[in-house]
Amino acid sequence: FYQLVLLCFMVSGSVFAFCYHQANREADLLHKNEVVMAWPLLGHTIVLDAGHGGFDPGAVTESGIEEKTINLQITLELATLLREAGMEVILTREEDVALADNKKDDMAKRVQIGQESDCDLFLSIQANKYTTANERGCQVFFHPKSAESKQLAECIQGEMSRLLKNTRRKSMALDSSYLLRKLEM
């Protein structure tokens, strides 16, 4: 089977994992939807941000698939799983729309949703396009001045690398991201 979604969260000083598996072989039908989780999700709030949307397609593949579509699909699936696990989930968008008429205001609205939510975690889902063939796989970014963000990013990166086996990338501090600079949580 393949790993569909893997997240590790750090809330109130404790790290815990959430993993969803989807079977793709007939022999695994008894375990078609196996969910492994830790109960500390219950009662916590997460904002899931499906990157891009509306007028902003994000990266586009050679075959024309837009990043905004991939981001939204992953975000909606993750929202369902986290709600089933007892988490309160707030979405920045639930359909292919922008949150404002221009990129600057759209990003400001995402920050506003995060700030007003009083959430434990804000997670932005992005599916960036690499410019060279040797670059591939998942990478998690975090605010360089947050030890908690770094710990969470390393946990998520390590588990995605281990389970998906598609990258040797390491989590990375990023101070050029608008969301990372502006969100205070």
Side-chain angles (χ1 to χ4, degrees):
F1 58 94
Y2 62 93
Q3 312 304 321
L4 182 60
V5 175
L6 168 77
L7 288 178
C8 299
F9 295 98
M10 187 177 72
V11 178
S12 302
S14 61
V15 176
F16 52 94
F18 176 85
C19 184
Y20 176 79
H21 306 277
Q22 177 81 32
N24 66 355
R25 295 189 312 256
E26 286 184 32
D28 291 328
L29 287 179
L30 288 176
H31 304 288
K32 185 176 181 209
N33 293 314
E34 175 186 323
V35 177
V36 180
M37 64 188 162
W39 288 114
L41 292 169
L42 188 62
H44 291 285
T45 302
I46 186 171
V47 172
L48 295 178
D49 173 47
H52 305 283
F55 66 84
D56 179 11
V60 180
T61 68
E62 291 177 13
S63 62
I65 299 170
E66 297 175 323
E67 178 185 354
K68 67 180 182 175
T69 303
I70 296 167
N71 296 343
L72 184 59
Q73 289 173 343
I74 292 169
T75 300
L76 293 175
E77 178 73 16
L78 181 57
T80 298
L81 296 171
L82 292 174
R83 285 181 177 129
E84 288 173 358
M87 248 185 145
E88 180 183 348
V89 178
I90 298 168
L91 300 172
T92 58
R93 66 183 184 95
E94 297 182 50
E95 55 190 350
D96 184 18
V97 297
L99 304 181
D101 294 332
N102 60 66
K103 185 68 174 176
K104 181 180 176 185
D105 292 344
D106 179 83
M107 295 302 288
K109 181 67 175 171
R110 293 167 197 267
V111 169
Q112 179 184 354
I113 291 168
Q115 299 296 87
E116 292 176 355
S117 71
D118 194 31
C119 65
D120 299 295
L121 180 65
F122 185 102
L123 182 64
S124 185
I125 306 296
Q126 306 286 329
N128 299 326
K129 181 178 176 183
Y130 293 119
T131 56
T132 62
N134 64 345
E135 294 181 83
R136 53 180 276 192
C138 301
Q139 188 164 26
V140 181
F141 300 102
F142 61 92
H143 191 285
K145 294 183 180 176
S146 172
E148 290 176 329
S149 291
K150 180 180 180 183
Q151 184 179 4
L152 174 61
E154 288 172 350
C155 179
I156 294 171
Q157 183 71 52
E159 287 301 298
M160 285 194 308
S161 295
R162 184 179 69 80
L163 292 170
L164 300 177
K165 296 176 177 54
N166 70 350
T167 188
R168 289 193 174 117
R169 292 179 170 276
K170 302 291 182 198
S171 59
M172 186 171 85
L174 186 67
D175 60 2
S176 61
S177 166
Y178 182 86
L179 291 174
L180 287 174
R181 283 193 332 267
K182 298 294 183 179
L183 283 165
E184 296 178 14
M185 58 193 56

